[in-house]
Amino acid sequence: MSAVLEAVRAGRVGETALLVTKLTDAERRALLPGLQALRKELRAAPWETRSERSYPALQVAGAMCHSGAAAAATWIAGADMRWRQAPADMLLKALADRDTGWQADVARRLAARPVSADVPFLLMAGLVRRSGCEVPVTDAYVVGWVRHIGHSWGRVPLVDRLRAEPDLAPLVNGLFELSDIGEVRWLFGDGPGSWQSALAELTGAGVLERKAVVDACVARLLRGGGPTDHRVFLPLLGLLALTRDEVRERVADWTALARDAASPVAAHAQSVLAALALDGDLTPRQLAEASAGLLFRTEKKLVRAQLVLLGKVLARDATAAAELLPSVAQAFGHEDTQMQERALKLVERHAARLDGEPAVRSDVAAAAEQLSPALRVRAAAALGIAPEAEPEAYEEVLPPPPKPLRLTAPPDSVVELAEEVSALLAADGDGDVAAFERALDGLARHAHRDQDALREALEPVAATRWWWEPESYRRQHSEEYFGHTRRGLLTPEGGLELILATLYGAVSTATLLAGLQHGPADHECARHGFSRVLDVRLRELAHRIRTDPQPLLLATPSWSTGLLEPGELVDRLDTCRRLGARVGEADFAQALLRVRREDRTAALAAAGRASGLGTPEGERLARWLSAGEPALPGSGLRTSGPRILIESGEVRELQTDFPEAFRRLGRPFTASDAVRYCYHWGRENHRHWLATLPELRELVAVRLVHDVSEAALDDERGGAAALPLLAESGGVAGESTHLCVAYGLGARHPEDRLAAVDALLVLAGRGQLDTERLGADLGRLVRLGAVKPLRLAESARTAAATGANTTIWEMLRHTLPELLADLATGGTAGAAGAAGATRGLGELLSIAADCAERSGARGELPHLSGTAARSGSARLVVQARRLRDALGGAAAA
């Protein structure tokens, strides 16, 4: 058996198979422990080593030695074997002596593996063919088959390759059942040689049963799936060229597709229903059912087409009004007022046909309450009902801003603390700041109390880290990784790694001291000074755990925003005094920046207590609390290409009595600092930035502006994620904060725009939103091309839907004049200026008109009358007129 292991180590696949073939069943079972030990050894070896060549032989040997089908399949499909597999024909040859039932079982088990396991199709197919079992129609098998057929290039056309497939019917059915067609989407092209054309041709020739293929195709479209599914199955449905009878018997399917399917599929289903309706093959009730869901869709093109169809049917069949007008009225609730008006025109045209239908008229009148105020008056006249009484004065009710949460004490149990640390490491940058700070405090306290108990509880967590194995290749590099020569600052997760490595001796005391004294090599980034502050705090804690454990952390916040109550800080300093514990320089500096000073009564009371401690730190805290609220530096706007950035001056109070890393936060910040690249470029620490200066959010916002601008200009995802926390933070909400929100409202990705809307509503709810400043910023950004009007319109509509009509109107009231002025003069602020603004200006005017109508806004808007006076029925002009009418008069140009 040693000869087998030697052959495996050398990577000699053929010799390995030959040697194992000569072994008895008992000898094969006895060989398994040696193979498993070798596999473990190979897993721990570096990727670049020559031992990688051993894997194909190891896979063959293990597959031959396992007597159970389940164990053999697990061995063959192991993750470590995935990229170094033995040839399929070699494996098939090696397993040829097994009985057919065993081979069929292995085939089914391999086919049941996920597609990501990358089990060779030729191996699965060979086992199926040799055992004679039924083909396993699983995702892995079908995807493997499609790839195999697709890669079988040559002169044989695809349709002929498919025709020769003995299991074509079940495999094609499996193709329709795939959970994600995206795995093989790239193999499905267009044109005569595509899969769709081949399947259609085989269906037409009778090789595939037509009804089964049509049913499966429609069912797949009904089921939905990935975003590209329709690009495969919708063209196939078109190539199948359904007959009139086949179309008629699937009315329920077309209705469901028109209501709920992806937009291209819904458009196809709508066209099918329209043809049936116009040919008289669709009853009014069926058309009403189809319209019921379709008119709720957001795609204006689909809604418009359905209203046109309903108009044609109503014009041709007067008796259908009672069935169809309630469906038309469902469009009264559409977010676009032009769709509302189209629906209202149909009701106005055919309302007389409801004279004998009081119940239907009542239903339509109830739906009319969803119309905009101006359209509700027309609806009342058309339906012959009394207009609503003069509405009460509008009073805006904003969503209540979230309240900060009080942090609980760290766990008394080391086991609970270990669970929290494990969760934070698993979060990989998405962990909560409060939970992180709570865990740091817990680590400091338990390291001071009993490090042996702490290490015992944390061992299951530490054992999963890359540096854990004492003799591992990576462990040898932990000193360099955690040392001061490493490029890059510690992230929160990296800091937890450092503390764990410190507890288990994976990093030396000398390395910890050097890292604390010098920091990483690339920490000279003014934009990311916050990351340097976090880095020095984490390194200080790790060094203290090794050399002089401290009983607690002074800087642990009292609240989720990062604020620290002054009385609590005095209590902690008193505890350190009584225990004779040395105060950490970085820990105390961070505590000063977090301590609440806006509440002057509490601050001054705590200052008196701090002075009475008789320690240098107590005196320093007393002076800090007595100094008053922090003062903001001067700032100014700078334009850099399409970007507007902010520069700020020096914060003098941060330049004295603070460690070097903290002084960086108070130094002047320039436009060049904002765009400078650094190795620790990233957004995972934004929430920690805000917790660093919880009462000076403008100093954070000025450094966030560039990152948030990338969400709008460079389509980056996640750049605006911290905006709600910025709005919840303390201190003045100045021009940096408002510019961040402005960029976020124009972000590329919906989740970033939603975060900006949340921030806007929080600021408004706290009475800190300057709508004039925000609106003016948005106007400039749109003119520069930094913010696209359509994205801004979506954000504004989302905010207004919460009931913030006055807030959004007041914002747009200061955005629109700049854009309307450009439209009137034909001027541009840059290459993307006027053309881009014009494309989305109609949407912005529509939302402004909605908000003005609902809030009862009155007055004039500069340059609006010129746009409203234009001829034509373009959306821009129609919405300008509507806004002008809502404001109660023409605006001066």
Side-chain angles (χ1 to χ4, degrees):
M1 289 188 285
S2 61
V4 176
L5 292 176
E6 182 180 344
V8 171
R9 283 186 179 278
R12 298 191 290 269
V13 183
E15 182 182 342
T16 298
L18 182 61
L19 290 171
V20 176
T21 301
K22 298 177 181 179
L23 300 178
T24 64
D25 290 344
E27 289 173 329
R28 292 186 184 188
R29 287 193 295 272
L31 181 60
L32 276 174
L35 294 174
Q36 291 164 345
L38 177 57
R39 184 179 186 182
K40 183 177 181 181
E41 176 187 329
L42 292 176
R43 282 173 173 169
W47 177 270
E48 299 83 3
T49 62
R50 296 169 61 185
S51 59
E52 294 296 307
R53 66 185 180 183
S54 304
Y55 271 102
L58 180 63
Q59 187 182 36
V60 169
M64 297 179 70
C65 289
H66 280 96
S67 58
T74 300
W75 181 276
I76 292 170
D80 52 340
M81 309 279 190
R82 189 171 305 163
W83 305 109
R84 296 145 293 195
Q85 300 188 48
D89 58 343
M90 182 66 72
L91 274 169
L92 288 170
K93 185 177 179 181
L95 301 176
D97 61 340
R98 299 300 180 95
D99 64 74
T100 56
W102 186 92
Q103 294 189 46
D105 196 3
V106 171
R108 285 190 291 267
R109 291 178 183 278
L110 290 176
R113 294 271 168 173
V115 176
S116 59
D118 202 23
V119 178
F121 171 75
L122 290 177
L123 174 61
M124 294 186 288
L127 291 170
V128 168
R129 183 174 61 254
R130 184 184 292 166
S131 65
C133 69
E134 185 178 346
V135 61
V137 187
T138 64
D139 278 12
Y141 197 92
V142 173
V143 167
W145 173 70
V146 172
R147 288 172 177 167
H148 174 69
I149 294 290
H151 288 155
S152 301
W153 306 114
R155 299 183 179 180
V156 181
L158 175 62
V159 66
D160 293 333
R161 279 178 265 151
L162 291 173
R163 186 179 281 112
E165 171 59 58
D167 297 306
L168 181 63
L171 288 172
V172 168
N173 186 64
L175 179 63
F176 289 111
E177 295 293 333
L178 276 179
S179 58
D180 184 10
I181 196 69
E183 295 285 353
V184 288
R185 167 71 183 89
W186 59 279
L187 287 170
F188 289 80
D190 300 309
S194 66
W195 272 79
Q196 294 94 323
S197 64
L199 292 175
E201 182 177 338
L202 292 173
T203 302
V207 177
L208 294 170
E209 184 186 354
R210 179 176 179 82
K211 186 176 187 308
V213 173
V214 173
D215 286 346
C217 191
V218 173
R220 178 55 188 244
L221 292 173
L222 281 167
R223 192 188 83 186
T228 61
D229 277 17
H230 64 271
R231 298 180 186 175
V232 173
F233 299 108
L234 188 58
L236 174 58
L237 187 64
L239 290 171
L240 291 173
L242 271 60
T243 65
R244 175 61 65 176
D245 288 340
E246 289 175 325
V247 169
R248 274 197 298 262
E249 68 186 22
R250 292 177 173 82
V251 169
D253 294 334
W254 309 130
T255 299
L257 290 172
R259 293 165 60 131
D260 302 318
S263 189
V265 180
H268 174 78
Q270 184 187 47
S271 67
V272 172
L273 290 169
L276 290 173
L278 295 176
D279 289 344
D281 291 328
L282 208 63
T283 66
R285 180 175 294 278
Q286 288 174 318
L287 179 57
E289 290 176 357
S291 302
L294 207 153
L295 291 175
F296 277 116
R297 295 187 67 110
T298 58
E299 301 96 327
K300 289 180 283 189
K301 183 178 180 180
L302 295 179
V303 175
R304 188 183 302 114
Q306 193 68 13
L307 289 173
V308 169
L309 172 63
L310 289 166
K312 290 179 179 179
V313 174
L314 284 167
R316 190 177 59 186
D317 184 2
T319 62
E323 288 279 3
L324 297 183
L325 285 183
S327 294
V328 171
Q330 292 184 28
F332 290 170
H334 198 276
E335 64 180 19
D336 191 302
T337 55
Q338 283 191 305
M339 297 302 103
Q340 294 180 14
E341 188 168 13
R342 283 177 176 270
L344 179 57
K345 286 179 179 179
L346 274 180
V347 171
E348 288 174 329
R349 192 176 304 135
H350 302 285
R353 299 177 181 176
L354 299 180
D355 287 345
E357 302 284 350
V360 176
R361 184 182 293 272
S362 177
D363 290 342
V364 175
E369 295 178 3
Q370 304 173 82
L371 291 167
S372 65
L375 295 180
R376 283 202 297 271
V377 176
R378 286 175 49 183
L383 295 169
I385 58 178
E388 61 182 8
E390 188 69 23
E392 298 180 3
Y394 176 80
E395 182 177 353
E396 183 155 287
V397 179
L398 294 167
K403 295 181 179 179
L405 300 176
R406 185 83 180 188
L407 263 67
T408 57
D412 287 331
S413 164
V414 287
V415 175
E416 290 181 32
L417 176 62
E419 292 175 351
E420 293 189 7
V421 171
S422 178
L424 286 167
L425 288 170
D428 193 24
D430 293 327
D432 181 66
V433 176
F436 174 77
E437 293 286 350
R438 184 171 178 265
L440 284 187
D441 192 24
L443 288 167
R445 290 172 184 264
H446 285 287
H448 178 268
R449 188 180 307 163
D450 187 345
Q451 288 200 17
D452 290 337
L454 180 60
R455 277 189 287 267
E456 182 180 354
L458 285 170
E459 185 169 339
V461 181
T464 65
R465 313 321 296 173
W466 59 270
W467 44 263
W468 173 252
E469 292 292 339
E471 304 302 326
S472 72
Y473 173 79
R474 290 172 177 167
R475 177 67 172 267
Q476 300 169 21
H477 296 272
S478 59
E479 294 287 333
E480 177 185 354
Y481 181 85
F482 290 120
H484 73 280
T485 58
R486 173 178 174 260
R487 299 190 66 84
L489 297 168
L490 288 173
T491 63
E493 293 69 36
L496 291 176
E497 290 269 15
L498 173 61
I499 293 168
L500 289 178
T502 300
L503 284 167
Y504 291 95
V507 57
S508 68
T509 304
T511 297
L512 292 172
L513 179 60
L516 177 61
Q517 290 177 338
H518 305 292
D522 67 333
H523 66 269
E524 297 296 333
C525 176
R527 177 165 163 262
H528 284 231
F530 292 98
S531 297
R532 180 68 182 103
V533 166
L534 180 62
D535 180 271
V536 73
R537 286 183 59 214
L538 293 168
R539 293 183 187 278
E540 180 182 81
L541 175 57
H543 183 258
R544 289 291 298 273
I545 285 175
R546 174 66 58 79
T547 61
D548 181 20
Q550 56 205 94
L552 51 80
L553 291 182
L554 299 174
T556 305
S558 306
W559 300 94
S560 57
T561 58
L563 270 178
L564 171 58
E565 291 297 336
E568 290 187 35
L569 180 53
V570 175
D571 292 340
R572 294 172 188 175
L573 284 174
D574 189 32
T575 299
C576 291
R577 179 190 61 80
R578 286 187 290 101
L579 295 176
R582 179 171 59 88
V583 171
E585 184 183 32
D587 184 32
F588 182 55
Q590 177 62 91
L592 290 177
L593 295 181
R594 282 180 172 166
V595 71
R596 185 195 295 272
R597 292 198 285 172
E598 288 182 341
D599 185 345
R600 297 308 302 152
T601 302
L604 292 175
R609 289 181 57 209
S611 181
L613 293 177
T615 62
E617 291 79 18
E619 291 296 332
R620 174 78 175 94
L621 175 59
R623 292 195 303 272
W624 181 258
L625 292 173
S626 301
E629 294 184 30
L632 287 176
S635 61
L637 297 177
R638 283 285 301 274
T639 301
S640 176
R643 280 183 171 84
I644 297 177
L645 300 172
I646 296 184
E647 298 182 323
S648 67
E650 183 181 64
V651 183
R652 290 189 175 275
E653 67 176 355
L654 296 183
Q655 299 306 305
T656 56
D657 297 330
F658 275 98
E660 173 61 23
F662 290 81
R663 294 179 190 176
R664 299 175 188 277
L665 302 180
R667 291 175 184 169
F669 187 80
T670 66
S672 61
D673 291 327
V675 299
R676 183 179 300 161
Y677 177 81
C678 62
Y679 284 95
H680 47 278
W681 197 290
R683 302 187 179 87
E684 66 273 9
N685 290 345
H686 283 171
R687 69 194 80 186
H688 291 271
W689 295 10
L690 288 159
T692 302
L693 292 174
E695 282 191 335
L696 284 171
R697 75 172 129 204
E698 277 295 286
L699 289 187
V700 181
V702 73
R703 291 161 173 81
L704 275 177
V705 166
H706 183 274
D707 285 2
V708 184
S709 74
E710 289 184 323
L713 277 160
D714 303 323
D715 295 350
E716 292 287 339
R717 188 185 297 274
L723 291 184
L725 297 178
L726 180 67
E728 294 171 29
S729 194
V732 174
E735 58 185 355
S736 298
T737 299
H738 283 77
L739 187 56
C740 283
V741 174
Y743 275 120
L745 292 173
R748 162 68 175 83
H749 297 285
E751 60 268 31
D752 283 315
R753 293 197 298 272
L754 186 59
V757 169
D758 286 345
L760 182 152
L761 294 173
V762 170
L763 288 172
R766 298 178 68 184
Q768 298 172 332
L769 183 67
D770 186 338
T771 53
E772 181 176 357
R773 170 177 278 166
L774 179 59
D777 284 344
L778 286 167
R780 287 192 292 270
L781 291 174
V782 171
R783 292 180 70 239
L784 287 170
V787 167
K788 290 180 171 57
L790 285 175
R791 295 178 185 172
L792 172 58
E794 290 180 15
S795 297
R797 191 183 299 280
T798 301
T802 68
N805 293 292
T806 297
T807 299
I808 298 305
W809 162 245
E810 288 297 326
M811 178 187 79
L812 294 178
R813 185 167 70 88
H814 296 96
T815 301
L816 291 171
E818 289 203 46
L819 309 183
L820 293 171
D822 263 356
L823 188 66
T825 61
T828 65
T838 302
R839 278 195 295 272
L841 186 52
E843 291 294 330
L844 283 175
L845 286 168
S846 173
I847 296 162
D850 284 345
C851 293
E853 289 174 347
R854 287 178 167 80
S855 65
R858 296 291 182 268
E860 295 185 350
L861 191 70
H863 310 292
L864 177 63
S865 61
T867 304
R870 291 186 174 193
S871 59
S873 58
R875 180 171 181 78
L876 174 66
V877 177
V878 169
Q879 295 303 323
R881 294 170 186 162
R882 180 177 160 226
L883 178 57
R884 178 197 61 191
D885 295 342
L887 294 175

